[in-house]
Amino acid sequence: MHRIYHVSKTGSDRNPGTEAAPFLTIQRAADAAQAGDRVVVHGGVYREWVRPRNGGMSDSCRIVYEAAAGEHAVIKGSERVTGWSRVAGNVWKVSLDCGFFGDFNPYTHPVKGDWIVAPTDCEVHVGEVYLNGRSFYEAASLEEVMEPARRYASRLGTWGGRREEILRPEDTVYQWCCETEGDITTIYANFQGADPNEEETEINVRKACFFPERTGVNYITVRGFEMMHAATSWAPPTAMQEGLLGPNWARGWVIEDNDIHDSKCSGISIGKEGSTGENEFTKYHRKPGYQYQMEAVFRARNIGWARERVGSHVIRGNVIHDCGQNGIVGHLGCVFSEIYGNEIYNIAVKQEFYGHEIAGIKLHAAIDVQILHNYIHNCTLGTWLDWQAQGTRVSGNIYDGNNRDLMVEVTHGPYLVDNNIFTSPYAFDNAAQGGAYVHNLCCGFTNSYPVPDRATPYHLPHSTEVLGTAPTYGFDDRWYQNIFVGGEEEGRSYGTALYDGAPVSMEE
Amino acid sequence: MHRIYHVSKTGSDRNPGTEAAPFLTIQRAADAAQAGDRVVVHGGVYREWVRPRNGGMSDSCRIVYEAAAGEHAVIKGSERVTGWSRVAGNVWKVSLDCGFFGDFNPYTHPVKGDWIVAPTDCEVHVGEVYLNGRSFYEAASLEEVMEPARRYASRLGTWGGRREEILRPEDTVYQWCCETEGDITTIYANFQGADPNEEETEINVRKACFFPERTGVNYITVRGFEMMHAATSWAPPTAMQEGLLGPNWARGWVIEDNDIHDSKCSGISIGKEGSTGENEFTKYHRKPGYQYQMEAVFRARNIGWARERVGSHVIRGNVIHDCGQNGIVGHLGCVFSEIYGNEIYNIAVKQEFYGHEIAGIKLHAAIDVQILHNYIHNCTLGTWLDWQAQGTRVSGNIYDGNNRDLMVEVTHGPYLVDNNIFTSPYAFDNAAQGGAYVHNLCCGFTNSYPVPDRATPYHLPHSTEVLGTAPTYGFDDRWYQNIFVGGEEEGRSYGTALYDGAPVSMEE
Amino acid sequence: MHRIYHVSKTGSDRNPGTEAAPFLTIQRAADAAQAGDRVVVHGGVYREWVRPRNGGMSDSCRIVYEAAAGEHAVIKGSERVTGWSRVAGNVWKVSLDCGFFGDFNPYTHPVKGDWIVAPTDCEVHVGEVYLNGRSFYEAASLEEVMEPARRYASRLGTWGGRREEILRPEDTVYQWCCETEGDITTIYANFQGADPNEEETEINVRKACFFPERTGVNYITVRGFEMMHAATSWAPPTAMQEGLLGPNWARGWVIEDNDIHDSKCSGISIGKEGSTGENEFTKYHRKPGYQYQMEAVFRARNIGWARERVGSHVIRGNVIHDCGQNGIVGHLGCVFSEIYGNEIYNIAVKQEFYGHEIAGIKLHAAIDVQILHNYIHNCTLGTWLDWQAQGTRVSGNIYDGNNRDLMVEVTHGPYLVDNNIFTSPYAFDNAAQGGAYVHNLCCGFTNSYPVPDRATPYHLPHSTEVLGTAPTYGFDDRWYQNIFVGGEEEGRSYGTALYDGAPVSMEE
Amino acid sequence: MHRIYHVSKTGSDRNPGTEAAPFLTIQRAADAAQAGDRVVVHGGVYREWVRPRNGGMSDSCRIVYEAAAGEHAVIKGSERVTGWSRVAGNVWKVSLDCGFFGDFNPYTHPVKGDWIVAPTDCEVHVGEVYLNGRSFYEAASLEEVMEPARRYASRLGTWGGRREEILRPEDTVYQWCCETEGDITTIYANFQGADPNEEETEINVRKACFFPERTGVNYITVRGFEMMHAATSWAPPTAMQEGLLGPNWARGWVIEDNDIHDSKCSGISIGKEGSTGENEFTKYHRKPGYQYQMEAVFRARNIGWARERVGSHVIRGNVIHDCGQNGIVGHLGCVFSEIYGNEIYNIAVKQEFYGHEIAGIKLHAAIDVQILHNYIHNCTLGTWLDWQAQGTRVSGNIYDGNNRDLMVEVTHGPYLVDNNIFTSPYAFDNAAQGGAYVHNLCCGFTNSYPVPDRATPYHLPHSTEVLGTAPTYGFDDRWYQNIFVGGEEEGRSYGTALYDGAPVSMEE
């Protein structure tokens, strides 16, 4: 009774979708597939935003989307662009009619929203230019594009004012900028000698590669794809959290064995939908941002935030890298999920924008979430558990080469951090309470401080029901059998410096 | 502190929106307006779908959209189309690239969904052709367009199999049809001698004239506009209920003094949003339609269906006419609303499609809704209160020239029908219980019958909280001081005929 | 930090409760014990109603009440009564001031309430007389007590009008009756030659042996006691369901290794509390009983009926016998519980009163309840799953010598009945849908029928959230690998007789 | 169909309750009365705790309890006691078996619980001794009773350390004490020359005069009684709040034209029930008291705290006086109520115990409560609105001779204080925000200060739904057209003194 639909670059959307007569687009299969069906995508590049129309009925009656065995199926949020004309030297330009973009033009849409800190003197857009798969850096002006300066470290705000290196300085001279007049968007880019009409030159145009338009599309499996080039927006806990890939407020997704990269902001989102708040602090400034965030929790309860409807996702075996904000992000929607066996790296290392809410894995309200056996490296921050990390376990992960490895903030626990290896010089910030740290190897220095001036919710055990809110008095943790190799930053004493100096706790 | 934005056909969206330097589009003002602001629209035709971005904060801090005093501001969901070429005789055609329509092409979107009964042998689309403001009739084929037959009465199913006249048979020879091949949609129309390139020929292209894209945009006032030509979809109680104008699941709108007409399906919708169900019966056939409808009620509770968030609208002083399904429709979203002083006429009189869910005013779950002092005439059914009419009052309305005046169905009350004048030959169907009929003048025959095989919910008084479900045992009504002039249809005895014969209660 | 309190018949309530200086009463320990504490009760008879004052905090931080290892601790709801005076022959009487009973006098409190059918010509009281531990039979008058007739089978209504034998007819001549005038209650009893002042003569005076007075006393363990002689009231699904032992609407109790017997109505109750309904059908007759029952479900949701707060009990290894209505009863409060390894017998076999709601295990709304490996014999009905048996499993039980073994009624499943042995001649009634019967050995006849005229709720999977209500269309079951030995009652054909004849489905 | 039951001191509970054959006790009528019925109580003294068994169905279908027109019906929580024997001099004693008290002995039950401050060196009991209607003062020992010292002012903690006079020092030499050994309670009292066996000597024995035992008994009217002498317990916002009279967590009571006095703690309670918390701070000390209070709000939501079920009471035209803690108290249960036209005086002026939570009217979560046209005098604090005073109005009241007139604390409003006359030297404390003070005459000094370290909930407008929690930043108030006569205490500057000095904001 359940069907298998095939999708192939040689197919047609007027076909029945059989193996012999496959569909051409994944979306065509997504429109047809019902609970219990399977969509097999054969090798090739699919430039689509797949918006699953239906969901499965239960964990055992799913809709499965998978790359055909042994074939390389790629979904791209970008289009290839030719027709570049040379401006001068290495700089070329192309002009695109807004009709090219449809409803959404990434080149008029800046990275902004709640908790964005920088840049303030110019705009960074969610658009992006890629030359043979490698992303460029956005410049503030055509002048900069004409004479691009190499960048070595973040020029923006950083955590504690520390220096944050850019991973590949040599790439930073590939710069671009854009301008939109009336219906025409023009992109200028410095290709450093390459001919953009000959090489594979792409720009991102879609918000996502695989993401339902409506909420409540449950029990989808996504397996074995490469997905890249999404023009995702900034994803704070007080807005719709877009991802290159994600369930958009649903239950029971399995995301496994994919290679996900080059999302402008977040790779996988298992986070908040929009009706519970859309950057109200940035828009209205009526209340502090964390007040809007708290209201989002209560609003979410009233639209059905509960184990029955949201969360319980499995994210395993994926490689997630080279995203601007997060490898995995999720406020509220992440509850009861398991994230294991993933490799996550190069998150936010281009340093094009800065705000809070940046990490390899950034979760709020990670109730009963399990983060196990992941390898998280070369991120500005490895993992950040913020607000309502209750019943959360971080176990068996390897953190390496991150600017910081772990932060746990304004939560009351209980949460468990065990059997991890933290090798970075700055191991973790503990601005929380109710944690147990057991059997970790910790090579860097650590920091603990209270946050007495902000109340955050706590919940009934294993539930999204709110039981109360309380400030973080701090320090009520348990430490068993950890190995601290040592580690202290120059001129910075243990456990007090950041708290005294950093105003972050006041505004977030 | 609160601002007034002006919109004028002579303005520009780069202007600041002041009276001296107004905006060009209403949408530009809608993007700017915040709680407390006012948008004044000056005379002219605005071909837009206005999607209010922000809402007000409370009943006393609204966002007001109004036509400038004494000026005639019109919002149309249609575009004017020229470039017609003559096919033969009175028949012309025009071909449009799908880019013309953007994301939504009404000419590939049929009127279908739960409880649609007919036609079954062809498709009727939500698109429409207008010549000098008057709508055409869709034909099943180009042949019919070439030689259009005059239509006098419905050829489709009708209530009880009764003959339903078409209001203006002379208009029915203005026929059209459409076909879409690849990216090209071609429309054929018989203009009966007129030159479509000379006259004002329009086709609808947008789903709505004034309707937020997201839910929860509260406390909007819409005053003094003419709005017309929306390609609205069929609006059953188990799907997103689109309207030419409406709040899309919000609280506290005031819709007053507008002239609303020529919506393909519904004029004003104060009904259901989509996440609680989208024609599951039509899509899946797993359960009876009413079972999906019952689930929609419980799902709605879980996304916050309560007095605090939804309903409490005021719809007054509007003229609503010439819509294909409903003048006003609303399931769930209508609670605690007042509908008074409106004139509603010519609803569903073109007889192009038939299903249940057709009436001048069709409400489900009209908890504490007040329908007062309206003049409802020349509709196939004047007012239909279906399921959960609890605390509902229908008072002081005049019903005239309708095929039926009133139907109340599978509800447990209490509800009150008082001081109305029912002049049509078929006064009402009472398939409910818990009603009080007081001081009505009733010129037609009436019908009462139980519906023992379907349970519908009942609620705590003045609340959306469900207290239980029960079947309609029927007949538990109160009758005081009504005047029954008489009236009986030929060959049809009082109170039993339709119930015995009509299978509707089994499937709806 | 956690304490162990000792209770001994040689103790004093002024003691500190240590092993050396134990308390005298269990209640004294119950007033002192807090989460994490243990109460050890040494051998002896405790005539108390233990009302735990506090509960535990979680499954791992409980309050444990246990009989001291190797000692026999008995809690009795009865008092020993002496001072009997001979009336005539074997009949004696005793008069007791109402002060003897405190707030509750079982001898003025009849067995009555919703769904009680008989007797109608006299009252049966929740009081009881015991001679050397064996309970008497209540007579309708002193005359009957003077000349007691031996009883062989039920004189009252029975399921399908079948003959139901009384287990020990020789005991039925031990009869009693009572009368209360002003403040004096007089009990007459025929001791068949025994001298009640010499033998151990007891009458029950307390509603329960171990049952909190307030709701929400969570995480209690009760282990190793013998408990007997409670004057429990009739426990329908529309009233407070009293039990000799039970949590009274709480979460996470463990009841293990106890010997529980001679409760007038129910042995263990994991059922409904009172605020959601108290026999409204019997009191008011405004609506059918099942309508009140449905309202109880919705009312329960509104007082927090959810996995977070109610149910998840474990009942294992107990012997439960000789109760008048149920071995275990539970509406709503039973969700997510496990009942395994118990022996349950002699339930309702005295045939002193009759109503629906009688079985060895009688559960309503047994969402995700597991009934495993129990031995249930010599009951009028072994197990009855009524309404909302969703996610319920009945597995590995042995049913023997029951008048009927199993009934499943007006539920939509899914539920699973597997690997059971049904040896009684009347194996089961299936008035439900959505069941799977797998690998059972079934020696008796079975019966299946729909109940189309009553809607009952169904829920989100593994949740108490209501998704809808529906009637029982019936017959949608799965049967795999069962062995049917045969079995049919004389003059009764398979699968239709009871449904055609019995009006029970109309009123329950 | 609705019945009128009569109760008379000449009646009998075996009567049918007609006017000709009335009942003897009000409770007998309360057991019989159903929705729509009326209970008429004729003149005389009824020593009962009336526990209404049933409630009404709606505002228009109530159960009314009223004193017969022109007759004086009194309900007393006390019993008359004779059998006093002289100990020495003016001191007499009486010994009472615990059977005299039934389940509740006020003389073993101290005034204690959350936010009780004093006394700490001895216990004050909820019991009380009255000589000819006048209450005594409890002494710490028999020695004090033998030689009673006249008391002039509070010896306990007071607000800001100010001196609080005792109203009638001459009464303070009427002292008593009690002791309980085993089953015997002995009361000693100094009758100052009176013979207690000759005079009317009473002691309170019951918790209430008119108060249901179970929650959810809605729509009761209580009119025209005198009620006195209840042994009510301390009523903090974190416990069951007992009152001499009250609905016990129900909806729609009308309490009018009664004379209510001499309740040990609170006169009328429209407050919290017990399942949401019972003095957990005092019992367990696991969290700060206000944390338990916040949890009580969320717990209450989960047992159905909503307009549909709780509150909407009317308390009008009553005289309430001489109670130890509150004239009217209510946390949560008070929502949507109206309190108008009452006279409230002599509240907490005996100074026998001290804690927070003492006032003529003390409400928490007074959402949309109207306090209008009351005359409140000679109280230690006139009116105290604490936490969640949102939509609350205090209008047209006269405050006179109070130690303080008004306190509003840790609430975010909006609330309105208008047209009141505050004549006391210490007009009010404003430790809140979001208030509007309009057209008041204010003769005393006032005080405003923030409470930044404690978050309290705020709600959707006109709803009990929680939207968030926030600290009290303070000072965001509106002041229009108030007249400040002046007033400042010696050595105390305006607006800062109490805040700097008083630790109350840290612990409450």
Side-chain angles (χ1 to χ4, degrees), chain A residues 3 14 46 78 93 106 136-137 143 164 205 207 234 245 300-301 335 409-410 446 468 472 496 502:
Chain A
R3 297 189 198 146
R14 301 195 179 181
Y46 299 82
S78 59
K93 75 170 182 180
F136 280 38
Y137 286 72
E143 290 66 39
E164 300 207 339
V205 296
K207 286 185 165 193
W234 177 248
L245 164 59
R301 282 291 300 163
V335 288
E409 188 178 359
V410 290
T446 67
T472 302
T496 56

Side-chain angles (χ1 to χ4, degrees), chain C residues 83-87 91-95 186-189 191:
Chain C
W84 296 87
S85 61
R86 190 187 298 268
V87 177
V91 177
W92 304 60
K93 75 170 181 181
V94 69
S95 288
T186 302
I187 296 172
Y188 302 87
F191 290 94

